[in-house]
Amino acid sequence: MKILGIETSCDETAAAVVENGVHVMSNIIASQVPLHQQTGGVVPEVAAREHVLKMIPVIEQALKEAKVQLRDIDAIAATQGPGLLSSLIIGTCTASALALSCRKPLIGVNHIAGHIYANWLNRDADAIPFPAIILTASGGHNELVLMKAHAKFTLLGETLDDAAGEAFDKVARLLGLGYPGGPQVARAAHAGNPNRYAFPKAYMHEQSYDFSFSGLKTAVLNLVKAEHTVNGLLSEEFISDCAASFQDAVCEILSDKLLRAVKTHNAKSALLSGGVSANQRLREIIGNKISHGYFFDHKGRKQDIGRKPEFYFPSDYSFCTDNAAMIAGSAFFSHTSGKEKTAVYGRSLLADPNLSLYYSRER
Ligand code: KG4
Ligand code: ZN
């Protein structure tokens, strides 16, 4: 089954053709990064206008690279949320119009479910054993999810304020590193000392799988304000050490909560997804903790992890940040798992009442 996926939830205009949820035939992303660098962040109106310009050429390119025509496509999928409404409208309306005119089924995809399914791209459909715990960390969302089977998601925890990627972006701005912040902070951290500053890590109470990064962000802000500058500039050494200490604080919290959830649910695999899953230090810290079999609890005590899970992150960097292959992949699994029972022609994806029902929450 070949699905044309469309993604326009934020600032990437993307289209892809994916066969049977895993085989990526094309994955086209028109990045708006240079445009939003001018403002240091995404201005929704600017993003939406760019989607209008890029949507059709990107779809044409995705079909061309996959060497298929619209008549060869079995279904059309689009991100229906969460995301910027003015950006989502462009992708969902285009998908609806294509589905209606070509008489193809239309599948709405939750953006976070898409990020999760980035892990299956270019792997076998049954490559990742269940139960799985997935840490999704992006600019707009940060969650811990339990999956016992395909397309069955249970929300264990989520951010109470900022998402990890958003914290990276804000710290990058405080350190004068530019947009988007994640890769810039990671680059600066490379030469830095991660033990120089002991930033607060919000573990919350013992059972909590929720995240909070606002305290950490404020601590960086206070440190930067107190730091001596020369001609208004922070020293290279300070920037590197601050970036490295901040990055490690985020990675410690994310890895400890992920691995505690793995232990609690006796999971066979631990997955990373979302833009922050591109972070090398995060992958390294999680990989180390799994191979040595420990994580830290809310009081900083070392705990045994129990059964060691298989560790996965998307097989290609382009699958970490926003892309349409993950949307087409997720659509396939929801479709074939019977979750998507109402694939009809031309329905309004934005008015879909099922959007908020993708997760059940476990307390
Ligand atoms: O998934 P994504 O493209 O968009 C959302 O759904 O939000 O994620 C973008 C986020 C940005 O906040 C960006 O700074 C972060 O992912 N990011 C990173 C890295 N690459 C991207 N954060 C940390 N380290 C990275 N290497
Ligand atoms: Zn995303």
Side-chain angles (χ1 to χ4, degrees), residues 10 36 42-49 51 84 86-87:
C10 187
H36 301 303
V42 178
V43 178
E45 173 76 10
V46 174
R49 285 176 184 273
H51 286 311
L84 300 172
S86 49
S87 288

Side-chain angles (χ1 to χ4, degrees), residues 24 72-73 82 116 130 137 257 341:
V24 180
D72 306 316
I73 295 292
I116 291 172
F130 295 119
K257 295 216 175 208
K341 295 190 191 85

Side-chain angles (χ1 to χ4, degrees), residues 7 9-12 82 111-112 115 137-141 163-169 179-187 247 273-280 282 317 319-323 326:
E7 154 65 37
S9 68
C10 187
D11 59 342
E12 315 284 14
H111 183 74
I112 300 163
H115 272 300
S138 268
H141 47 84
E166 196 181 350
F168 267 95
D169 293 337
Y179 170 89
Q184 309 280 0
V185 169
R187 204 168 299 129
Q247 179 175 254
S273 69
V276 181
S277 71
N279 188 280
Q280 283 298 338
L282 178 62
Y317 278 109
F319 302 153
C320 294
T321 43
D322 289 348
N323 66 88
M326 69 186 197

Side-chain angles (χ1 to χ4, degrees), residues 24-361:
V24 180
M25 300 174 69
S26 63
N27 188 27
I28 307 300
I29 304 168
S31 172
Q32 299 183 3
V33 164
L35 194 64
H36 301 303
Q37 262 163 352
Q38 296 165 25
T39 43
V42 178
V43 178
E45 173 76 10
V46 174
R49 285 176 184 273
E50 193 66 7
H51 286 311
V52 172
L53 295 177
K54 297 285 164 60
M55 189 75 270
I56 299 299
V58 161
I59 291 172
E60 284 173 343
Q61 185 71 14
L63 293 170
K64 192 173 164 205
E65 281 202 13
K67 297 191 176 56
V68 292
Q69 297 188 331
L70 263 176
R71 64 169 171 268
D72 306 316
I73 295 292
D74 299 296
I76 294 169
T79 305
Q80 56 185 150
L84 300 172
L85 187 63
S86 49
S87 288
L88 288 165
I89 284 172
I90 314 302
T92 52
C93 287
T94 307
S96 299
L98 278 177
L100 191 61
S101 56
C102 304
R103 310 304 288 170
K104 307 277 182 195
L106 177 65
I107 305 172
V109 176
N110 179 294
H111 183 74
I112 300 163
H115 272 300
I116 291 172
Y117 269 103
N119 277 285
W120 273 265
L121 295 174
N122 287 345
R123 291 191 169 119
D124 288 341
D126 53 3
I128 298 176
F130 295 119
I133 302 287
I134 303 100
L135 170 69
T136 71
S138 268
H141 47 84
N142 202 157
E143 289 161 336
L144 262 181
V145 176
L146 164 68
M147 270 177 91
K148 290 185 179 165
H150 275 301
K152 300 218 166 16
F153 309 108
T154 300
L155 181 63
L156 301 177
E158 61 195 324
T159 184
L160 303 177
D161 39 56
D162 291 351
E166 196 181 350
F168 267 95
D169 293 337
K170 285 182 180 159
V171 165
R173 200 180 300 178
L174 289 175
L175 295 176
L177 293 173
Y179 170 89
Q184 309 280 0
V185 169
R187 204 168 299 129
H190 207 64
N193 172 6
N195 301 317
R196 172 135 176 226
Y197 301 109
F199 286 127
K201 296 179 203 136
Y203 281 82
M204 261 88 67
H205 66 84
E206 193 175 353
Q207 305 298 330
S208 173
Y209 287 121
D210 289 330
F211 301 96
S212 167
F213 293 106
S214 61
L216 172 57
K217 203 182 61 192
T218 306
V220 176
L221 173 68
N222 292 338
L223 188 75
V224 170
K225 271 191 191 158
E227 180 64 14
H228 178 71
T229 56
V230 178
N231 298 331
L233 295 175
L234 297 162
S235 74
E236 289 286 318
E237 188 189 1
F238 172 80
I239 291 173
S240 295
D241 290 348
C242 185
S245 304
F246 161 79
Q247 179 175 254
D248 268 35
V250 173
C251 295
E252 289 295 336
I253 300 164
L254 293 177
S255 58
D256 288 335
K257 295 216 175 208
L258 168 69
L259 296 177
R260 185 165 63 77
V262 163
K263 180 175 183 172
T264 305
H265 294 277
N266 203 15
K268 290 185 178 157
S269 43
L271 278 62
L272 280 184
S273 69
V276 181
S277 71
N279 188 280
Q280 283 298 338
R281 183 72 177 146
L282 178 62
R283 294 176 179 190
E284 182 185 310
I285 287 179
I286 295 171
N288 277 339
K289 285 182 178 172
I290 291 177
S291 67
H292 293 105
Y294 73 90
F295 64 93
F296 292 107
D297 69 11
H298 67 299
K299 291 208 163 138
R301 296 171 300 207
K302 226 176 190 177
Q303 299 288 345
D304 186 64
I305 198 176
R307 177 170 69 186
K308 289 183 184 174
E310 299 287 330
F311 179 34
Y312 298 92
F313 39 81
S315 61
D316 191 280
Y317 278 109
S318 64
F319 302 153
C320 294
T321 43
D322 289 348
N323 66 88
M326 69 186 197
I327 301 304
S330 180
F332 172 81
F333 287 102
S334 64
H335 195 65
T336 51
S337 308
K339 184 138 179 84
E340 184 66 34
K341 295 190 191 85
T342 52
V344 292
Y345 307 112
R347 73 188 150 107
S348 167
L349 291 180
L350 290 178
D352 190 340
N354 286 328
L355 175 59
S356 60
L357 298 181
Y358 271 87
Y359 295 93
S360 59
R361 167 99 207 208

